[in-house]
Amino acid sequence: MSTPLLLLLCLCATSALAHELHHEVSQAQAVVIRLTYGDDTPFAFEAYEIYPEGGKLPAQVGRTDAQGRVAFLPPQAGRWRVKTWSEDGHGLEFTLETGVGTTPAAEDRPLYERHGRIVAGVALILGLFGVLNLYLKRKKS
Amino acid sequence: MHLPDGFLSPQTYLPAYGLAAGLWWLAARRLRRTLDAERLPWLAAVTALAFVLMMLALPLPGGSSVHATGVALLAVNFGVWTAFLAISLVLALQALLFGVGGVTALAVNALALGLLGSAAAWLAWRAVQPVHEVLALILAGWVSMVVPAAIIALVLGIQPAIAHDAAGRPLFFPFGLAVTLPAVLIPHALLGLGEGLLTWLGTLTLKRLRLRHAV
C-alpha cells in the first residue's frame, strides 16, 4: 500500500472518531425554578429560555419537567432573565440573581401572596369607587 | 387570557396603547355624563367580582388553567363603555400591583377583553333578548369569552411574522396562528359556557338585589 493512501486512511479514522459522543455523570448544585399556574397546577412540559442579563443568546433552553421545574446550573454568578411560555398564551418573564454561595433570589415577584392579593385588590377597587362616589355627591351638591 | 410581558413586540403594544388611550378618554367622558350615585355601588360590586373571578384560576385537563371574567355581566348591566373602563381598571390593578398580566400587554388585554369582549357580549344580548332573555344572557357570556380569545390568539399568532431576527427566529411569542388559534380558542369556547351561566345567574341576582334595594 502506498504511503499517501495510508495517510488518507489514518485521517479518515480520526475524522470518524470525532463523531463519537461521550457521557459523564456528576453531581452539581443547581438553581431549581418551579413554575405553576395560579391554582398550583405545574406548568409542565412547557418551553423556557434563560438569558444572561443583556444577552441575546440564551444560556439554556428546554422544557419544564412534569412538576413544572427547571434545573439551571449558572456558568457564572450574575443576573438571568427567564422566559417561559405555552402555546395557548400562558407564560412569564422574570429575572433572578445567582451568586457564589448564596441562595438565588427571584425578583419581580408580586407584592402579596394569592389570597392576600385578592382581598387587597377588592379593597382597592371599592376604595376607588368610594372616592368616585364622594366626587359625584360633591358635584351634585 | 391575560397576556404577560415579553410576548408582544413593540410594533404591537405601542399602537395598542395609543388606541386604548384615546378610547379610555372617550369612555371616561361618557361615564362622567352617565354615571349616577344610585348605580355606582352596584358597579363597584360587579367590578370587584370581576377582579376576584379573574384571580381565580380553574385547572383544565392537560395541565393548563382558565378563569372567568365577568365581562358580559358588566356589559349587559352597565353598558359597553362602562364595562371597558371597569375591566381596564381590573387589568391595570392586576398588572401593576399583583404581577398578573403584563404592563406592556395591558392595552391589548384591555382592548380585547374590556372593549371588544364587552361589545360582542352587549350586541349578542341585544340581538337575542327579544326572542329569549336567558339564552341572550348565556350567549352574551359565551361570546365575551370567545371573541377576546380569538383576538388574543390572532395577536399572539402574528408575532413571529412581525418581529423576528435576521435568521427568521421569533423575538417574542414563537408560535404562529396555526398553533395559537386552536390552543387558545378551544378551551375558551368550552369555558364560555360557564361564563354564560355566570352572566345569566349574575344578572338575575343583580336585578333581584336592585329591586329589593329600591323597595
Side-chain angles (χ1 to χ4, degrees):
Chain A
M1 193 181 285
S2 67
T3 310
L5 187 61
L6 194 65
L7 271 171
L8 185 66
L9 279 173
C10 286
L11 279 172
C12 284
T14 314
S15 163
L17 278 175
H19 290 283
E20 262 189 313
L21 285 176
H22 299 272
H23 79 279
E24 180 188 317
V25 179
S26 63
Q27 286 196 328
Q29 197 169 1
V31 175
V32 178
I33 303 159
R34 186 164 178 263
L35 298 157
T36 58
Y37 290 101
D39 59 356
D40 216 34
T41 306
F43 194 61
F45 306 120
E46 301 295 0
Y48 72 86
E49 291 176 349
I50 302 176
Y51 293 83
E53 189 177 39
K56 289 193 171 176
L57 283 176
Q60 184 171 316
V61 298
R63 283 189 176 267
T64 57
D65 70 5
Q67 276 79 49
R69 292 175 305 191
V70 172
F72 173 50
L73 286 90
Q76 75 269 342
R79 286 164 64 86
W80 304 89
R81 188 162 53 92
V82 182
K83 281 176 75 172
T84 180
W85 63 86
S86 63
E87 292 169 357
D88 62 356
H90 287 99
L92 185 65
E93 187 174 326
F94 62 95
T95 55
L96 62 88
E97 190 160 1
T98 57
V100 181
T102 58
T103 307
E107 295 174 8
D108 302 336
R109 290 180 74 87
L111 291 175
Y112 310 100
E113 287 311 313
R114 189 147 202 91
H115 296 100
R117 281 193 267 164
I118 294 175
V119 173
V122 169
L124 260 173
I125 289 168
L126 296 180
L128 283 171
F129 276 98
V131 171
L132 195 58
N133 193 34
L134 287 175
Y135 165 77
L136 279 177
K137 280 184 177 168
R138 196 174 159 186
K139 197 177 140 190
K140 204 175 172 183
S141 63
Chain B
M1 212 189 303
H2 298 56
L3 290 176
D5 284 321
F7 276 24
L8 300 180
S9 56
Q11 299 97 302
T12 309
Y13 65 73
L14 290 177
Y17 259 107
L19 178 64
L23 292 168
W24 281 325
W25 181 73
L26 274 177
R29 280 190 61 175
R30 204 179 165 89
L31 184 70
R32 205 175 149 191
R33 280 203 313 269
T34 55
L35 194 65
D36 55 65
E38 193 272 325
R39 280 202 325 156
L40 196 66
W42 300 106
L43 177 60
V46 180
T47 305
L49 176 68
F51 174 82
V52 174
L53 289 172
M54 285 198 214
M55 293 291 283
L56 294 175
L58 303 166
L60 276 185
S64 188
S65 78
V66 289
H67 59 80
T69 64
V71 168
L73 192 59
L74 278 161
V76 165
N77 289 285
F78 301 98
V80 174
W81 291 103
T82 305
F84 173 46
L85 276 184
I87 292 295
S88 298
L89 170 67
V90 168
L91 293 171
L93 283 178
Q94 287 183 318
L96 295 170
L97 299 179
F98 306 115
V100 179
V103 176
T104 54
L106 174 62
V108 171
N109 284 333
L111 289 171
L113 268 121
L115 185 65
L116 297 170
S118 297
W122 190 84
L123 286 171
W125 172 64
R126 285 299 292 258
V128 182
Q129 190 199 21
V131 184
H132 200 284
E133 174 72 23
V134 174
L135 186 66
L137 288 168
I138 291 173
L139 186 67
W142 187 78
V143 297
S144 79
M145 191 60 73
V146 173
V147 168
I151 292 157
I152 296 282
L154 279 172
V155 171
L156 281 174
I158 60 170
Q159 295 308 306
I162 62 174
H164 51 76
D165 64 13
R169 281 188 300 257
L171 293 171
F172 297 92
F173 194 73
F175 302 109
L177 290 169
V179 172
T180 59
L181 281 171
V184 180
L185 269 175
I186 292 169
H188 284 93
L190 293 172
L191 179 72
L193 299 172
E195 185 79 21
L197 290 174
L198 173 85
T199 308
W200 167 42
L201 294 172
T203 303
L204 196 70
T205 309
L206 203 58
K207 272 182 183 168
R208 283 184 182 169
L209 287 171
R210 281 170 113 164
L211 277 175
R212 193 181 298 172
H213 183 75
V215 173

